[in-house]
Amino acid sequence: AQTVTQSQPEMSVQEAETVTLSCTYDTSESDYYLFWYKQPPSRQMILVIRQEAYKQQNATENRFSVNFQKAAKSFSLKISDSQLGDAAMYFCASSQGAQKLVFGQGTRLTINP
Amino acid sequence: KAGVTQTPRYLIKTRGQQVTLSCSPISGHRSVSWYQQTPGQGLQFLFEYFSETQRNKGNFPGRFSGRQFSNSRSEMNVSTLELGDSALYLCASSPNNQETQYFGPGTRLLVL
């Protein structure tokens, strides 16, 4: 069975600084996808970034980038130039082609002005 | 394109009642998945529908059921509600077999 682990229940960062959220996963499949979703207080789940396991290049979306270490089954999210609007719960998730996401427990990110 | 919509947004029921939640996917998306989010269990997969067929099901009791219509809209039903069914129910849609799921705003269900 797939498992996703986020070991940091809470993180905080000063506005404009960089923060990294950690995620590890476990899967026996060779073909899978990894995601980071953001859930602000509105509870709307918003896609931040996606990584295909077969791609060696780390995904990047503006200020958001990932460090994908396939052998170590690690998938961390780096947020650069943190903004107040980045404050939210961040969920790491994996999918193995069955349209079924397995989520981690989440990391609450606080941005200090 | 309009995003995923869910109705109702909030719902209060009493134990033993049943409830039906609705989800309209992004236009052109044929896959709809449902998730339950609670403080204790986190986000858990309920089931997924594609072209009116349930393709995958999570570990929930038979009180939880769903269906999908020919226009890809989906409903989930919970019968004989229990206090533990209080949760945020999230619906997500994706096009065909692509892996990225886009979520709706959720329905908050409170069971008293």
Side-chain angles (χ1 to χ4, degrees):
Chain A
Q2 297 178 75
T3 58
V4 177
T5 303
Q6 294 178 248
S7 59
Q8 306 154 314
E10 296 184 357
M11 292 280 286
S12 64
V13 64
Q14 291 296 126
E15 191 177 4
E17 294 192 346
T18 296
V19 63
T20 299
L21 308 184
S22 301
C23 172
T24 58
Y25 62 93
D26 191 17
T27 177
S28 57
E29 301 293 324
S30 58
D31 184 21
Y32 54 92
Y33 299 78
L34 297 166
F35 305 86
W36 279 98
Y37 282 92
K38 163 186 174 181
Q39 189 177 44
S42 67
R43 310 300 296 277
Q44 173 86 49
M45 195 75 78
I46 300 165
L47 176 70
V48 175
I49 201 164
R50 150 186 161 146
Q51 173 80 43
E52 292 90 344
Y54 64 86
K55 289 187 177 179
Q56 293 186 338
Q57 186 173 6
N58 290 325
T60 299
E61 288 288 342
N62 301 314
R63 297 183 295 107
F64 299 87
S65 62
V66 298
N67 183 4
F68 174 45
Q69 301 291 325
K70 192 171 183 177
K73 294 183 178 177
S74 170
F75 182 61
S76 61
L77 174 70
K78 185 173 83 171
I79 306 174
S80 303
D81 186 26
S82 298
Q83 300 176 0
L84 295 177
D86 295 334
M89 281 290 287
Y90 284 80
F91 291 95
C92 178
S94 72
S95 174
Q96 292 179 345
Q99 298 304 96
K100 169 187 173 181
L101 289 169
V102 175
F103 288 90
Q105 288 299 309
T107 297
R108 183 176 302 279
L109 178 63
T110 301
I111 312 295
N112 300 312
Chain B
K1 285 184 180 178
V4 178
T5 58
Q6 293 186 244
T7 57
R9 295 292 310 278
Y10 304 92
L11 207 49
I12 300 175
K13 292 286 188 179
T14 56
R15 281 184 300 172
Q17 288 186 311
Q18 73 167 17
V19 66
T20 298
L21 311 182
S22 181
C23 172
S24 292
I26 292 171
S27 178
H29 287 194
R30 296 168 64 189
S31 171
V32 174
S33 299
W34 290 89
Y35 296 85
Q36 181 196 65
Q37 185 177 24
T38 61
Q41 299 299 316
L43 283 149
Q44 294 184 286
F45 172 78
L46 280 156
F47 30 64
E48 185 248 348
Y49 287 87
F50 181 82
S51 292
E52 303 178 64
T53 301
Q54 186 182 89
R55 290 199 300 190
N56 206 353
K57 189 178 190 306
N59 296 323
F60 279 82
R63 300 185 298 106
F64 291 80
S65 64
R67 60 178 176 169
Q68 186 180 34
F69 302 94
S70 58
N71 62 358
S72 294
R73 188 177 69 87
S74 178
E75 290 181 348
M76 68 163 282
N77 183 276
V78 188
S79 62
T80 319
L81 284 165
E82 300 177 358
L83 296 179
D85 297 333
S86 295
L88 178 68
Y89 290 88
L90 292 165
C91 165
S93 76
S94 65
N96 297 329
N97 287 318
Q98 290 186 26
E99 297 297 332
T100 300
Q101 296 185 30
Y102 298 92
F103 283 81
T107 294
R108 289 199 201 189
L109 172 64
L110 177 62
V111 181
L112 301 175

